Amino acid sequence: MNHSVASPQEAAVAVHELARRLYEPDRVAGEIPPGLELSLSSGYPGLALLFAELAHTEEEYREVAHAYLSAAARHASGGDQVGLHSGLPALAFATLSAVEALGEYAEVFGRLDPRIVGRAQDLVRAERDRLDEGVPGTCPDVYGVPTGLAGLGCYLLARGADHLSTLEDVLSCLVELTEPVQVDGRWVPGWYVQEESTGFLTGLGYGVCGPLALLALAWLSEVRVPYQDEAIERIAGWLLAWCQRDEAGPWWPAAVGLAEQLAGPGETSRPCLASWEFGTPGVARALQLAARALGEPDWELLAVEAARAVFTRPTDRWGAGDMWRTRAPGLRSGWAGLLQVTWRIARDSGDSELAERLPWLAGRLLEEYDADATFGFPQAGFLDGAAGVALALRTYATDTEPASGWDSALLLA
């Protein structure tokens, strides 16, 4: 499967080959690290997402999706709440992706939802206590997508009216998180992380773009709380201030240090990354969602320009070596994530230049395929392995929105 570019038909063939390799949960079980059975990264819920998506058009995969959900449920008794990417919320999200009819899996949601709501409420309460005490310095695990409020809010938004009150509490807490706080007598953005090397994370996974994406997606769904639009504007304004430019175009550092923030926006020596989790593509998608929520076309133009620049930037600008030779295949920080983010940005903007990059990205992803590997890639799972690769390739192959909504686990939609 070596490709310089891949057609949608070739991608579709690859998707079904990967599905064949992942078809039997018992075969995959030995590859799941102990303790990660309930994770989206390597566990059963992430694998269920692939077959839930396929089952929306190919009925024979529904039984496989159910088998993976059942395997995950066997580990739920000892599971805790954690966040969207691990624990009970991961199982609930995967189950939701497989739902076809109202009331399906109602018993599962009846058991899981109260604990997920409780986890969200605990995080909100803890953050409000911290803010009331005037203690600066939050934590990405509290507000981010994998374990925090942005991810849990994504699930609550998908569940709809049943959990509207808790979702509004989450949104209000994230609005409060954007309000400035004092550090050593100086005002800084409220999402300050009290670590000198971190300061202010930008990315979509663990950075402020997770809350930005959720606030924007909720606004687009007409779920709104007081000052939500101001919070979106506050985060977007900060991103605009810290946008960097090189010969290729705009980009964002993965983080802005406290000293950098206090000195004011300017050039940074931090590396430019091309990933969903910490890099410019994820930031660009969050900014695009904010633009569409508040009707700010200039923000979307910048997001599209930044996404285009990913493909023309000299490789020595990337912090982890040559982007085109050393990247991983998965969704979290590799080719599959870049493919899905690029498809989303191109789809919503109608940008033909980005759309023209998709066959190359799909081909580049397929170059990582290893026929001798059990699952075609080093890992089987969703975030870092074959299941996530197959899902991104399916989006490209069908050129349609995921019917299961799987990429909302990345807060891309």
Side-chain angles (χ1 to χ4, degrees):
M1 287 191 182
N2 290 322
H3 298 260
S4 55
V5 297
S7 68
Q9 293 77 17
E10 289 172 304
V13 169
V15 169
H16 286 90
E17 169 60 18
L18 293 172
R20 182 189 67 78
R21 288 171 176 261
L22 296 166
Y23 195 84
E24 299 175 15
D26 289 343
R27 187 179 183 216
V28 178
E31 302 297 322
I32 299 176
L36 294 181
E37 292 88 356
L38 281 182
S39 72
L40 289 185
S41 60
S42 307
Y44 295 114
L47 290 151
L49 288 178
L50 169 61
F51 293 98
E53 174 65 23
L54 294 173
H56 279 276
T57 55
E58 299 171 77
E59 183 66 26
E60 65 268 26
Y61 287 118
R62 285 188 59 75
E63 186 175 334
V64 185
H66 180 74
Y68 272 111
L69 292 172
S70 297
R74 288 194 288 272
H75 294 272
S77 59
D80 54 21
Q81 296 91 335
V82 193
L84 184 64
H85 286 190
S86 57
L88 300 182
L91 172 57
F93 180 85
T95 303
L96 187 61
S97 75
V99 169
E100 269 199 329
L102 190 66
E104 194 175 16
Y105 295 106
E107 182 181 347
V108 174
F109 293 123
R111 286 187 288 110
L112 296 180
D113 278 0
R115 298 178 68 179
I116 296 168
V117 166
R119 169 65 171 169
Q121 291 172 337
D122 287 345
L123 287 175
V124 167
R125 192 177 304 113
E127 271 299 276
R128 286 190 168 146
D129 287 346
R130 179 185 67 80
L131 291 167
D132 289 344
E133 293 168 7
V135 178
T138 185
C139 175
D141 288 338
V142 170
Y143 67 73
V145 174
T147 60
L149 291 170
L152 293 174
C154 165
Y155 174 75
L156 296 170
L157 180 62
R159 290 290 284 132
D162 288 347
H163 302 302
L164 181 59
S165 176
T166 303
L167 174 59
E168 289 175 340
D169 285 343
V170 168
L171 295 173
S172 294
C173 184
L174 293 177
V175 167
E176 293 172 36
L177 189 72
T178 70
E179 296 173 0
V181 296
Q182 278 196 319
V183 177
D184 297 331
R186 303 279 298 276
W187 290 100
V188 300
W191 55 90
Y192 166 63
V193 175
Q194 201 167 13
E195 295 179 16
E196 185 175 348
S197 62
T198 301
F200 308 87
L201 292 166
T202 61
L204 186 48
Y206 284 98
V208 73
C209 282
L212 176 62
L214 178 64
L215 291 167
L217 288 167
W219 188 275
L220 289 165
S221 297
E222 299 188 353
V223 179
R224 299 169 185 178
V225 298
Y227 310 111
Q228 185 173 336
D229 52 345
E230 293 181 16
I232 293 171
E233 290 171 351
R234 194 174 289 129
I235 299 172
W238 183 81
L239 290 172
L240 295 178
W242 279 101
C243 181
Q244 307 289 302
R245 281 191 176 270
D246 60 16
E247 61 270 43
W251 61 278
W252 285 272
V256 172
L258 177 59
E260 291 176 302
Q261 176 66 34
L262 292 176
E267 291 188 7
T268 177
S269 60
R270 293 172 183 260
C272 175
L273 305 175
S275 67
W276 162 77
E277 187 172 42
F278 289 111
T280 288
V283 176
R285 176 56 178 169
L287 186 61
Q288 181 185 37
L289 291 171
R292 299 178 76 78
L294 299 191
E296 294 284 353
D298 288 346
W299 297 358
E300 182 163 26
L301 289 174
L302 178 61
V304 170
E305 186 184 359
R308 288 175 178 171
V310 168
F311 300 95
T312 58
R313 180 162 289 114
T315 56
D316 61 3
R317 283 294 297 123
W318 305 101
D322 186 334
M323 174 188 175
W324 310 125
R325 289 199 294 270
T326 63
R327 292 183 61 76
L331 289 170
R332 189 199 309 267
S333 59
W335 296 109
L338 186 54
L339 175 60
Q340 190 68 20
V341 173
T342 303
W343 184 87
R344 278 289 182 187
I345 295 174
R347 173 84 166 190
D348 282 354
S349 67
D351 187 75
S352 59
E353 184 175 326
L354 283 178
E356 289 169 0
R357 297 290 184 180
L358 297 175
W360 180 86
L361 273 174
R364 184 61 188 80
L365 180 53
L366 288 177
E367 287 179 6
E368 300 295 321
Y369 176 84
D370 180 1
D372 294 328
T374 304
F375 307 112
F377 292 88
Q379 299 181 46
F382 170 70
L383 282 179
D384 299 308
V389 169
L391 283 164
L393 287 171
R394 177 175 170 82
T395 300
Y396 165 66
T398 60
D399 195 30
T400 57
E401 298 237 356
S404 65
W406 68 263
D407 65 346
S408 62
L410 307 178
L411 273 184
L412 295 179

